[in-house]
Amino acid sequence: MKMPTGPRFAALAGLLALVMVATRFKHFGDMLHLPDASMAVFFLGGVYLRRHGAFVAMLLLTVALDWVSITYAGVGDFCVTAAYAFLPLAYGVLWYAGRWYAPRLNGQVRSLAGAFGVALLAAVASFAVSNGSFYWLGGRYPDPNVAQYVSRLWQWGPLFVRTTMSYIAVALVVHAVCARLAADSHATRHQEA
């Protein structure tokens, strides 16, 4: 898959940023709150945007949204600890896994399944980094130990990974539909020529 440029790049970056803003904190109220799509946005950003500068921009957006959430939207700062410094690594796992897989992605089922598999592995690794750093370095648990960490990993990991994979599955379906429409359009133009 070719990396988008110009207006297409800007549109994709804007769409991913919009999804991040719409899901990062509960600004529409509990009934309309969508699960946080941040992990999915970072994987999809790696797939479609790929640029290192775009990764940095998305990181800055997450920090800005967290600051606004805590400062103005009444969201607690429980998760903001020394471990917050590991979020770039956690999100980097997703971004660079997507960036690595991007040249292999097309509209074919096998390619889409491969993207889903890479995203799943990256989501698990990313969650392990963010959750592990929070647990071991966040200072919120007085006597951290491996058994308690594994218990918490199993408690929260499936939810975060399932949410991430749901967003990615939707994005891959949209990708497949768009690839099919583009192929049909290309074939029609070839027939008319």
Side-chain angles (χ1 to χ4, degrees), residues 7 13 19 21 32 53 58 63 71 77 79 91 104 112 121 128 132 141 144 149 154 167 171 174:
V19 169
V21 169
L32 297 177
M58 284 294 178
V63 171
T71 305
D77 64 354
C79 292
Y91 289 143
R104 298 156 185 80
L112 295 166
L121 292 173
Y141 302 97
Y149 171 66
W154 280 112
Y167 283 117
V174 169

Coordinates of all heavy atoms in Angstrom, one line a residue, residues 7 13 19 21 32 53 58 63 71 77 79 91 104 112 121 128 132 141 144 149 154 167 171 174:
P7 N -3.6 16.1 0.3 CA -4.9 16.2 0.9 C -5.4 14.9 1.5 O -6.1 14.8 2.5 CB -5.8 16.6 -0.2 CG -4.9 17.2 -1.3 CD -3.6 16.6 -1.1
A13 N -5.2 11.9 8.6 CA -4.7 12.4 9.9 C -5.8 13.1 10.7 O -6.0 12.9 11.9 CB -3.5 13.3 9.7
V19 N -11.3 10.8 15.7 CA -11.6 9.6 16.5 C -11.0 9.7 17.9 O -11.6 9.3 18.9 CB -11.2 8.4 15.7 CG1 -11.4 7.1 16.6 CG2 -12.1 8.2 14.4
V21 N -10.1 12.4 19.6 CA -10.8 13.4 20.4 C -12.2 12.9 20.8 O -12.6 13.1 22.0 CB -10.9 14.7 19.6 CG1 -11.9 15.7 20.3 CG2 -9.6 15.3 19.4
L32 N -23.4 8.6 25.8 CA -22.9 8.6 24.4 C -21.4 8.4 24.4 O -20.8 8.5 23.3 CB -23.2 10.0 23.8 CG -24.6 10.4 23.7 CD1 -24.8 11.8 23.2 CD2 -25.3 9.4 22.8
G53 N 6.9 12.2 12.3 CA 6.3 13.4 12.7 C 4.8 13.3 13.1 O 4.3 13.9 14.0
M58 N 0.5 12.8 17.1 CA -0.6 12.1 17.8 C -0.2 11.9 19.3 O -1.1 12.0 20.2 CB -0.7 10.7 17.2 CG -1.5 10.7 15.9 SD -3.2 11.2 16.1 CE -3.8 11.1 14.4
V63 N -1.5 13.8 25.0 CA -1.1 14.6 26.2 C -2.1 15.8 26.4 O -2.5 16.0 27.5 CB 0.3 15.0 26.1 CG1 0.7 15.9 27.3 CG2 1.3 13.8 26.1
T71 N -7.9 18.9 33.7 CA -8.0 20.3 34.1 C -9.4 20.8 34.0 O -9.8 21.6 34.9 CB -7.0 21.2 33.3 OG1 -5.7 20.6 33.4 CG2 -7.0 22.6 33.8
D77 N -6.8 12.3 38.0 CA -5.5 12.1 37.5 C -4.8 10.9 38.1 O -3.6 10.8 38.1 CB -4.6 13.3 37.9 CG -4.5 13.6 39.4 OD1 -5.2 12.8 40.1 OD2 -3.8 14.5 39.8
C79 N -4.2 8.0 36.9 CA -3.3 7.3 36.0 C -2.0 8.1 35.6 O -1.1 7.6 35.0 CB -4.0 6.9 34.7 SG -5.2 5.7 35.0
Y91 N 2.5 3.3 22.8 CA 1.9 3.7 21.6 C 2.8 3.5 20.4 O 2.4 3.2 19.3 CB 1.5 5.2 21.6 CG 0.3 5.4 22.5 CD1 0.2 6.6 23.3 CD2 -0.8 4.5 22.6 CE1 -0.9 6.8 24.1 CE2 -1.8 4.7 23.5 CZ -1.9 5.9 24.2 OH -3.0 6.1 25.0
R104 N 2.5 -4.4 3.2 CA 1.9 -5.7 2.9 C 0.3 -5.6 2.8 O -0.3 -6.6 2.4 CB 2.2 -6.7 4.0 CG 3.7 -7.0 4.1 CD 4.1 -7.5 5.5 NE 5.5 -7.6 5.7 CZ 6.4 -6.6 5.9 NH1 5.9 -5.4 6.1 NH2 7.6 -6.9 6.1
L112 N -5.6 -8.7 5.0 CA -6.4 -8.1 6.1 C -6.3 -8.9 7.3 O -6.1 -8.4 8.4 CB -7.8 -7.9 5.6 CG -8.1 -7.0 4.5 CD1 -9.5 -7.1 3.9 CD2 -7.8 -5.5 4.9
L121 N -1.2 -8.7 18.2 CA 0.1 -8.9 18.9 C 0.6 -7.5 19.4 O 1.1 -7.4 20.6 CB 1.1 -9.5 18.0 CG 0.9 -11.0 17.6 CD1 1.9 -11.4 16.6 CD2 0.9 -11.9 18.8
A128 N 0.7 -4.5 27.7 CA 1.7 -5.0 28.7 C 2.6 -3.9 29.1 O 3.0 -3.8 30.3 CB 2.4 -6.2 28.2
G132 N 2.1 -2.6 32.7 CA 3.2 -3.0 33.5 C 4.0 -1.8 34.1 O 4.3 -1.8 35.3
Y141 N 0.5 0.9 44.1 CA 0.4 -0.3 44.8 C 1.5 -0.5 45.8 O 2.7 -0.5 45.4 CB 0.4 -1.5 43.7 CG -0.7 -1.3 42.7 CD1 -0.5 -0.7 41.5 CD2 -2.0 -1.7 43.1 CE1 -1.5 -0.5 40.6 CE2 -3.1 -1.5 42.1 CZ -2.8 -0.9 40.9 OH -3.8 -0.7 40.0
P144 N 4.0 -4.3 45.3 CA 3.8 -4.9 44.0 C 4.4 -6.3 44.0 O 5.5 -6.5 44.5 CB 4.4 -4.0 43.0 CG 5.3 -3.1 43.8 CD 4.8 -3.1 45.2
Y149 N 0.3 -8.6 39.8 CA 0.4 -8.0 38.4 C -0.3 -8.9 37.4 O -1.0 -8.4 36.6 CB 1.9 -7.8 38.1 CG 2.0 -7.4 36.6 CD1 1.5 -6.2 36.2 CD2 2.6 -8.2 35.7 CE1 1.6 -5.8 34.8 CE2 2.8 -7.8 34.4 CZ 2.2 -6.6 33.9 OH 2.3 -6.3 32.6
W154 N -4.7 -9.8 33.6 CA -5.8 -10.6 33.1 C -7.2 -9.9 33.3 O -8.1 -10.1 32.6 CB -5.8 -12.0 33.7 CG -4.9 -12.9 33.0 CD1 -3.7 -13.4 33.5 CD2 -4.9 -13.3 31.7 NE1 -3.0 -14.1 32.6 CE2 -3.7 -14.1 31.5 CE3 -5.8 -13.1 30.6 CZ2 -3.5 -14.7 30.2 CZ3 -5.5 -13.7 29.4 CH2 -4.4 -14.5 29.2
Y167 N -12.2 -1.7 17.0 CA -12.0 -0.5 16.1 C -11.2 -0.9 14.9 O -11.5 -0.4 13.8 CB -11.3 0.6 16.9 CG -12.2 1.4 17.8 CD1 -11.9 1.4 19.2 CD2 -13.2 2.2 17.3 CE1 -12.7 2.2 20.0 CE2 -14.0 3.0 18.2 CZ -13.8 2.9 19.5 OH -14.5 3.7 20.4
A171 N -12.1 -0.7 10.9 CA -11.2 0.0 9.9 C -10.8 -0.9 8.8 O -10.7 -0.5 7.6 CB -10.0 0.6 10.6
V174 N -13.6 -1.3 6.3 CA -13.7 -0.1 5.5 C -12.6 -0.1 4.5 O -12.8 0.2 3.3 CB -13.7 1.2 6.4 CG1 -13.5 2.4 5.5 CG2 -14.9 1.2 7.2

